[in-house]
Amino acid sequence: MELAIKNSGMSVFDSFEKSSSNLNYVKFKGGDFTFGKDEDIIMDDELFMADMASLAKGFICWKGRKPVDEQMATYIDVENGNASFPVEKELPDHSPYNSDKGEGWSEQLKIIFYHLETGEQFQFATTTVGGNRGIGELTKSWVKEVRRGNLHNPVVSMAHWMMPNSFNPKGSAAPKFPVHSWAKDIDDAQEKAKATTVKLADPTVV
C-alpha cells in the first residue's frame, strides 16, 4: 500500500498528543472486534480517532504459536527519511518453520485508535487480506482528505462487511472502518462528539 502523497511544507503525519498510556490489543474474528483477556466486544456505535501517524507496515514472525520477531516501520518515519520499510528477503531466519501451523514471516499492517469516550489506545494489527483491505480503504479516505488540504485524522467506528471469496458464496466477515467525521486531534474529536445529539452519525461517503 503506497500513499503517494506530495508534502507541501506541513507534515501530513502530524500526530496528536497521546492521551493514555494504556494500550489495548484488538482482535477481529467472526465479524467482532474484541480486546483484553476477557475478549470484550467493541460495539459498532463506539467512536474512535484513527492516529494516522501510527500507521506502520512490515512483517511479523510466528513460531510455536507466538510472535518471535517483528520488523515494522511507520509511514511517518519513512516519509521523514528516518527509516525504510523492511524487505522480506532481508528478514532474519528463525527456521525451522512448521508451514502447516502458519509459522514464519507474514506481512503486517498496524495502526492505533483512540476511544473518544475514554481516551484509551487500541492497537489493531493484521496479516489477513481482509484486514489489510480494511486499513487500506481507511487510508485511501484519509489520503483524499489530505489532497483536499485537510490534514485531520478520521473519526471512525469498527464494523465489518462480507468479503467475497472462492470458499464461501456468502463471503467471510472482514474489518472495515467507516469514517464519520474528521478532527484535528483527540480533543477536537471529543468536543464534536459531545456537541452532537446522535452518538453515531451516518458514515460520510468517500
Side-chain angles (χ1 to χ4, degrees):
M1 180 178 64
E2 301 299 330
L3 298 187
I5 299 174
K6 291 184 179 179
N7 197 347
S8 57
M10 181 176 181
S11 177
V12 297
F13 288 102
D14 284 344
S15 182
F16 45 85
E17 183 179 353
K18 303 298 184 285
S19 58
S20 172
S21 59
N22 298 322
L23 185 60
N24 298 289
Y25 296 95
V26 177
K27 298 179 181 178
F28 178 83
K29 184 177 181 180
D32 289 327
F33 286 92
T34 63
F35 68 97
K37 62 180 181 180
D38 295 328
E39 297 189 341
D40 295 323
I41 294 177
I42 295 173
M43 306 305 292
D44 58 10
D45 64 349
E46 296 183 70
L47 292 177
F48 298 82
M49 169 76 79
D51 183 3
M52 302 309 295
S54 72
L55 180 63
K57 181 175 74 170
F59 296 86
I60 187 169
C61 183
W62 288 83
K63 188 173 181 180
R65 303 183 68 180
K66 63 181 181 180
V68 295
D69 200 351
E70 186 180 51
Q71 305 282 331
M72 303 291 294
T74 63
Y75 281 88
I76 184 173
D77 282 340
V78 173
E79 181 199 358
N80 292 335
N82 297 324
S84 58
F85 291 120
V87 178
E88 186 171 12
K89 65 181 181 180
E90 298 176 358
L91 297 172
D93 184 9
H94 297 291
S95 61
Y97 303 123
N98 187 332
S99 58
D100 292 336
K101 295 183 178 180
E103 294 185 352
W105 287 98
S106 299
E107 288 188 75
Q108 179 177 249
L109 287 176
K110 182 186 294 187
I111 189 170
I112 290 176
F113 299 90
Y114 288 77
H115 196 287
L116 291 197
E117 290 189 9
T118 68
E120 291 180 283
Q121 300 179 42
F122 289 77
Q123 179 180 277
F124 178 66
T126 180
T127 59
T128 68
V129 173
N132 287 346
R133 183 168 178 174
I135 293 179
E137 291 299 316
L138 171 61
T139 304
K140 288 179 183 177
S141 299
W142 175 71
V143 168
K144 288 181 181 179
E145 289 299 303
V146 170
R147 289 174 175 165
R148 296 182 185 126
N150 178 4
L151 305 184
H152 296 171
N153 286 285
V155 174
V156 306
S157 54
M158 296 188 183
H160 76 275
W161 70 293
M162 300 306 292
M163 184 176 69
N165 60 65
S166 58
F167 303 103
N168 187 344
K170 295 183 179 180
S172 300
K176 71 174 182 178
F177 305 95
V179 177
H180 300 275
S181 64
W182 301 88
K184 61 184 179 181
D185 54 34
I186 187 68
D187 292 331
D188 182 34
Q190 289 173 331
E191 286 302 315
K192 287 181 177 179
K194 291 177 182 178
T196 182
T197 57
V198 180
K199 185 176 182 182
L200 184 61
D202 289 334
T204 56
V205 177
V206 294

